[in-house]
């Protein structure tokens, strides 16, 4: 059964990561806008094309999550291995939060590692331009999904904690949906929203919240496990108390009956 708490975490991480998306994907999203025929660059027509681009991007995220789930399927059954994976995912999220806030740039180095693959895909992207039909837009969006991005890498770390193909894919879908509002706004040239998201206070608030989510990813399951154990112990203790009371009541009744029998004899 799907654990919806992980999906909520992934969605909120994508939503809060919008401050990063503006800088990382804003230029590419705008380039895709100008790759459209001029008549399609305005109003609801533009929104429709941007949805197609982003559908392709989300499809790539889901495929990456599915692949990770297939490769790592079964690790959750290996005792402490699942716990280590969860800790690493939480650490990635904390690093992401610090990166979003501008406090620590460790993920920037990780983004550079994906640069060669992104450059290798450049000819594929060029062949799709200009965009003339929906299939081209979805294909361009799928290539967009491979853009080196610390936010995506952190979401992948979270998806890996599920170690089950369908759940890992759903985590990446939830993450992608969280990024959608910002990227739709960016692609449709909402300059005012971009300025708000790029403010230091906005970025630092979003970063701090992502760090808290990372901490919860690490310690939350442990706290819940201990709480369940505590509740179970209390239930067992209450059951023993009721059993003792019933036994005492029965003993007292038996003694009264024996006393009455003695008096009758």
């Amino acid at each position: 059964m799907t654990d919806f708490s992980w999906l909520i975490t992934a969605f909120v991480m994508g939503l809060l990561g919008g401050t990063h998306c503006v800088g990382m994907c804003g230029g590419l999203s705008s380039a895709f806008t100008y790759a459209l025929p001029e008549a399609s660059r305005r109003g609801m027509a533009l929104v429709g094309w941007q949805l197609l681009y982003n559908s392709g991007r989300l499809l790539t995220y889901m495929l990456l999550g599915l692949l990770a789930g297939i490769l790592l399927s079964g690790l959750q059954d290996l005792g402490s291995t699942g716990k280590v994976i969860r800790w690493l995912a939480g650490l990635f999220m904390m690093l992401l939060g610090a990166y979003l806030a501008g406090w620590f740039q460790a993920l920037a180095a990780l983004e550079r590692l994906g640069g060669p693959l992104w450059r290798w895909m450049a000819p594929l992207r060029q062949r799709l331009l200009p965009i003339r039909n929906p299939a081209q837009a979805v294909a361009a969006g799928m290539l967009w999904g491979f853009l080196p991005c610390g936010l995506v890498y952190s979401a992948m770390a979270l998806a890996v904690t599920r170690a089950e193909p369908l759940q890992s894919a759903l985590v990446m879908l939830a993450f992608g949906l969280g990024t959608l509002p910002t990227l739709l706004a960016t692609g449709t040239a909402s300059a005012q929203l971009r300025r708000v998201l790029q403010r230091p206070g906005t970025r630092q608030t979003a970063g701090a919240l992502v760090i808290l989510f990372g901490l919860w990813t690490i310690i939350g399951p442990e706290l819940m496990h201990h709480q369940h154990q505590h509740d179970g112990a209390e239930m067992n203790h209450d059951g023993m108390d009721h059993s003792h009371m019933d036994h005492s009541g029965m003993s007292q009744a038996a003694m009264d009956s024996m006393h009455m029998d003695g008096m009758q004899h």
Side-chain angles (χ1 to χ4, degrees):
M1 187 173 70
T2 301
D3 183 351
F4 289 101
S5 66
W6 292 96
L7 299 182
I8 294 170
T9 298
F11 178 82
V12 174
M13 184 169 72
L15 192 64
L16 294 174
T19 58
H20 178 68
C21 294
V22 171
M24 179 61 69
C25 297
L28 185 60
S29 183
S30 297
F32 281 149
T33 295
Y34 286 103
L36 295 169
E38 188 172 351
S40 299
R41 298 177 194 170
R42 295 183 295 274
M44 293 306 297
L46 177 56
V47 173
W49 284 103
Q50 285 293 332
L51 283 172
L52 288 171
Y53 288 138
N54 281 279
S55 296
R57 180 175 62 88
L58 266 60
L59 182 57
T60 293
Y61 291 168
M62 288 184 67
L63 291 173
L64 290 174
L66 187 68
L67 179 61
I70 291 172
L71 294 176
L72 299 174
S73 180
L75 283 184
Q76 295 285 45
D77 299 327
L78 298 181
S80 60
T81 304
K83 184 183 293 187
V84 171
I85 293 175
R86 192 182 74 243
W87 287 349
L88 289 174
L91 178 61
F92 252 96
M93 292 177 68
M94 293 169 69
L95 289 174
L96 172 64
Y99 183 38
L100 293 177
W103 296 329
F104 189 55
Q105 301 297 310
L107 287 187
L110 191 59
E111 287 178 344
R112 287 193 289 272
L113 292 178
L117 176 62
W118 182 246
R119 288 191 292 272
W120 179 80
M121 288 182 169
L124 298 177
R125 297 193 299 274
Q126 292 298 323
R127 286 179 198 169
L128 292 171
L129 303 179
I131 303 296
R132 296 186 179 88
N133 58 65
Q136 280 182 296
V138 172
M142 291 186 69
L143 293 176
W144 179 7
F146 289 99
L147 177 71
C149 174
L151 186 59
V152 175
Y153 299 155
S154 299
M156 281 293 295
L158 186 65
V160 163
T161 64
R162 309 315 301 145
E164 196 281 320
L166 179 59
Q167 290 192 27
S168 296
L170 288 176
V171 166
M172 290 304 294
L173 174 61
F175 160 75
L177 290 173
T179 65
L180 193 57
T182 301
L183 288 176
L184 279 178
T186 301
T188 53
S190 179
Q192 184 176 2
L193 178 60
R194 291 187 214 181
R195 286 195 295 270
V196 170
L197 291 176
Q198 288 294 291
R199 289 175 183 169
T202 304
R203 294 179 63 92
Q204 290 170 9
T205 300
L209 289 173
V210 171
I211 289 173
L212 290 176
F213 269 97
L215 283 172
W216 178 253
T217 299
I218 294 172
I219 67 174
E222 300 293 337
L223 293 176
M224 294 174 66
H225 177 68
H226 288 308
Q227 183 63 41
H228 288 157
Q229 285 186 329
H230 178 70
D231 291 344
E234 283 190 344
M235 290 178 64
N236 291 334
H237 180 69
D238 290 343
M240 291 177 63
D241 286 346
H242 286 302
S243 176
H244 178 70
M245 290 173 62
D246 291 343
H247 178 72
S248 299
M250 290 176 63
S251 299
Q252 184 63 42
M255 290 177 64
D256 290 345
S257 177
M258 290 175 64
H259 179 67
M260 290 296 292
D261 288 343
M263 290 178 64
Q264 289 175 1
H265 288 297

